[in-house]
Amino acid sequence: MYRIFLNSPLFRGLTMEELDELFQSVNHQIKQFRSGELLAMAGEDVDKAFLLMQGRLQGEMVDFSGNSLKIEELDPPQMVAAAFLYGPQNKFPVFLSAKSDGRILVIQKKEFTGMLSMEPRVMVNYINIVSGKAQFLSGKITFLSLKTIREKIAYFLLQRMKSGMNNTINIDQTQTNLADLFGVTRPSLTRTILEMEKQGILTWSRESILINNMKKLNTILGR
Amino acid sequence: MYRIFLNSPLFRGLTMEELDELFQSVNHQIKQFRSGELLAMAGEDVDKAFLLMQGRLQGEMVDFSGNSLKIEELDPPQMVAAAFLYGPQNKFPVFLSAKSDGRILVIQKKEFTGMLSMEPRVMVNYINIVSGKAQFLSGKITFLSLKTIREKIAYFLLQRMKSGMNNTINIDQTQTNLADLFGVTRPSLTRTILEMEKQGILTWSRESILINNMKKLNTILGR
DNA sequence: CTAAAATTGTAACATTGGGTACAATTCTAA
DNA sequence: TTAGAATTGTACCCAATGTTACAATTTTAG
């Protein structure tokens, strides 16, 4: 029954027995939902913890200016809106709807708090989750702060190179995808890539990118 | 001694006695620092909790592209890098240095974790802090996602109006300040404001802004 | 192998905003 | 009150990117 949570971010480290025991002492309910159902509206209070057990959810952030309403998908055994259960403005940041049938485990905030103080491992896990969100967003902001397309390319490539020792980067993204990720138009991205090629900074082929002049690439980011 | 923490975000809700008691059972040290001292480097592991007791710290994020290294200041009784003590990449995101003499309370992560599970109120407080950071960053991202200056102005004004019922917004910011906040140049901001005035959307005087056409203002954000 | 689809290359033009410089206005302190 | 400082208005030019449209190339499916 709760097996799905066995190695979930929130319960990692607990054995199956401990998990069962935990759920015996924590009030909760399991709710079924149908594909297409609207589970929560943006702005609605978050006073329950939602743990997805089965099915797929989708959060839509109506990101003004019409063009890009961001969609985030959620699969089991993820927790929904983890960073919005506590904190000064605990309201849903997105419209949450179901992409398929499924079921979700619901725990009242008070009970959830009790569970955290009862089981330190879960507490640490939860703090790790929320911290992770903050860190992710922090990185996102760094990226969003980059102003030119050149900078975004440079940052993206340098990130990808951290691990690999040689100066070839494998991506399985099309330029179209990348443009989308960067929030720029595809022709603009292509234009900039070609410029950088002309300047001898890199060679961009379909599957991989070869950095020819690391120094110049770094200079773009002012380092 | 620990009086400074009495109503701090982390310890709010505890009495002076409880606070004293808590610190008796939690290993910690108090470290003095001198003005100018470098307390932590960006990238360094965070394996201790730092609680500022006295003095002022400053975090500098070397925000590439040279021009804008962001500075965040920290005053007692704030916690340092709260969202980076846990989570997948617990490294300092900034260079941390002292702007004045002062002292800071240091708790090893392990001890800190113990304290959280020992005292549920502190645990909830800490989770509130980290969640708050995530929420703040999330809002920041929404703002950073706005592309044009018009959009930023519209968003800014609509935010400020939520509370007030009439269509006048008081700001005590100069355009110079605002331009800085928006990350745009001052003449560009002024230019856009004047455009919006010409289009009958608003009237911008030194102390306050009058919205003349709410509908148009909303349209800018695509709603 | 081949036609359709996807991806990438390219170009002309429009729009937005930065850089800079200076003028006009308003505020502030002596 | 008045000079200097701060703020706001304005103009010109330029760089970066978006918009649109279409061509060239590569991949994929049948």
Side-chain angles (χ1 to χ4, degrees):
Chain A
M1 183 60 166
Y2 303 112
R3 156 161 247 100
I4 176 78
F5 292 124
L6 196 48
N7 270 305
S8 71
L10 187 58
F11 298 108
R12 109 173 51 245
L14 302 198
T15 65
M16 199 61 234
E17 292 71 43
E18 289 170 321
L19 205 52
D20 280 333
E21 209 176 306
L22 189 64
F23 277 118
Q24 260 167 27
S25 60
V26 174
N27 284 319
H28 64 278
Q29 34 174 319
I30 291 171
K31 200 186 143 192
Q32 311 278 336
F33 58 80
R34 315 281 298 171
S35 178
E37 191 173 331
L38 180 65
L39 296 179
M41 310 242 303
E44 203 172 289
D45 279 354
V46 181
D47 57 354
K48 308 177 190 67
F50 296 98
L51 306 175
L52 184 56
M53 299 180 76
Q54 197 184 74
R56 168 173 272 199
L57 298 182
Q58 147 179 306
E60 291 182 45
M61 185 170 186
V62 179
D63 186 20
F64 328 105
S65 67
N67 50 3
S68 69
L69 61 169
K70 283 176 201 160
I71 296 182
E72 201 185 354
E73 303 203 339
L74 215 70
D75 289 304
Q78 298 292 320
M79 180 169 176
V80 176
F84 292 86
L85 181 54
Y86 296 87
Q89 51 173 104
N90 43 352
K91 303 189 182 299
F92 273 97
V94 294
F95 286 86
L96 192 70
S97 59
K99 282 202 78 175
S100 71
D101 292 0
R103 55 184 206 278
I104 197 166
L105 190 146
V106 183
I107 308 176
Q108 292 292 327
K109 180 169 173 176
K110 207 168 173 182
E111 283 286 319
F112 188 80
T113 305
M115 179 177 79
L116 296 186
S117 55
M118 188 189 312
E119 179 46 80
R121 283 170 296 177
V122 177
M123 177 194 79
V124 169
N125 285 341
Y126 180 65
I127 293 175
N128 276 324
I129 292 172
V130 179
S131 299
K133 301 266 181 201
Q135 290 165 18
F136 172 78
L137 292 173
S138 174
K140 200 110 182 170
I141 282 182
T142 303
F143 191 75
L144 279 172
S145 304
L146 302 177
K147 298 215 180 77
T148 66
I149 297 182
R150 288 175 80 82
E151 284 171 351
K152 293 182 188 192
I153 294 173
Y155 185 82
F156 176 79
L157 294 179
L158 289 171
Q159 287 276 313
R160 299 285 166 126
M161 259 193 351
K162 284 289 164 59
S163 35
M165 62 256 89
N166 63 5
N167 44 4
T168 304
I169 297 148
N170 278 58
I171 51 166
D172 38 0
Q173 305 233 46
T174 64
Q175 289 185 9
T176 309
N177 277 343
L178 265 194
D180 210 44
L181 180 67
F182 289 1
V184 303
T185 62
R186 203 267 316 158
S188 296
L189 177 61
T190 303
R191 181 205 282 144
T192 307
I193 288 173
L194 294 176
E195 266 171 36
M196 293 171 83
E197 282 194 323
K198 260 175 213 139
Q199 294 162 355
I201 299 173
L202 47 77
T203 309
W204 193 291
S205 65
R206 302 243 160 176
E207 338 72 44
S208 68
I209 299 149
L210 174 66
I211 307 300
N212 296 317
N213 190 331
M214 191 63 98
K215 208 167 168 184
K216 277 192 190 171
L217 193 64
N218 273 292
T219 309
I220 292 171
L221 293 177
R223 334 189 226 197
Chain B
M1 183 58 165
Y2 304 110
R3 155 160 249 100
I4 175 79
F5 292 123
L6 196 47
N7 270 305
S8 71
L10 188 58
F11 297 108
R12 110 175 50 246
L14 300 198
T15 65
M16 199 60 235
E17 292 73 41
E18 289 171 322
L19 207 52
D20 279 333
E21 209 175 305
L22 189 64
F23 276 118
Q24 259 166 27
S25 59
V26 174
N27 283 321
H28 63 276
Q29 33 173 319
I30 290 171
K31 200 187 144 192
Q32 311 277 336
F33 58 80
R34 318 279 300 170
S35 178
E37 190 173 330
L38 180 65
L39 297 179
M41 310 245 300
E44 202 172 290
D45 279 355
V46 182
D47 57 353
K48 308 178 189 68
F50 295 99
L51 306 175
L52 184 56
M53 299 180 75
Q54 198 183 74
R56 166 173 274 200
L57 299 182
Q58 148 179 305
E60 292 182 46
M61 185 171 186
V62 180
D63 185 23
F64 328 103
S65 68
N67 50 2
S68 69
L69 61 169
K70 284 177 201 162
I71 297 181
E72 200 186 355
E73 302 205 337
L74 215 71
D75 291 304
Q78 297 292 320
M79 181 168 175
V80 176
F84 292 86
L85 180 54
Y86 296 88
Q89 51 173 104
N90 41 354
K91 303 189 182 299
F92 272 98
V94 296
F95 286 86
L96 192 69
S97 60
K99 282 202 75 171
S100 72
D101 291 2
R103 57 184 205 278
I104 196 166
L105 190 145
V106 183
I107 308 176
Q108 293 290 327
K109 179 169 173 176
K110 206 168 172 179
E111 284 286 319
F112 189 81
T113 304
M115 179 177 78
L116 295 186
S117 55
M118 187 189 313
E119 179 46 78
R121 284 170 296 178
V122 177
M123 177 194 79
V124 169
N125 285 341
Y126 180 64
I127 293 176
N128 277 323
I129 291 172
V130 179
S131 298
K133 302 264 183 206
Q135 290 164 18
F136 172 78
L137 292 173
S138 173
K140 201 109 183 169
I141 283 181
T142 302
F143 192 75
L144 279 172
S145 303
L146 302 178
K147 300 215 178 77
T148 66
I149 297 182
R150 288 174 78 82
E151 285 172 351
K152 293 183 187 189
I153 293 174
Y155 185 82
F156 177 79
L157 293 179
L158 288 171
Q159 287 275 313
R160 298 286 164 126
M161 261 194 349
K162 283 289 165 58
S163 36
M165 60 257 87
N166 62 6
N167 44 3
T168 304
I169 296 149
N170 280 57
I171 51 165
D172 37 358
Q173 304 234 46
T174 64
Q175 290 186 6
T176 309
N177 277 343
L178 266 194
D180 212 44
L181 179 66
F182 289 1
V184 303
T185 61
R186 205 266 317 155
S188 295
L189 178 61
T190 304
R191 181 205 283 146
T192 308
I193 288 173
L194 295 176
E195 265 171 36
M196 293 172 83
E197 283 194 322
K198 260 175 213 140
Q199 293 163 354
I201 299 174
L202 46 77
T203 309
W204 192 292
S205 66
R206 301 241 160 177
E207 338 73 43
S208 68
I209 298 149
L210 174 67
I211 307 299
N212 296 317
N213 190 331
M214 188 65 97
K215 208 167 166 185
K216 277 192 190 171
L217 192 65
N218 273 293
T219 309
I220 293 171
L221 293 177
R223 329 190 230 197

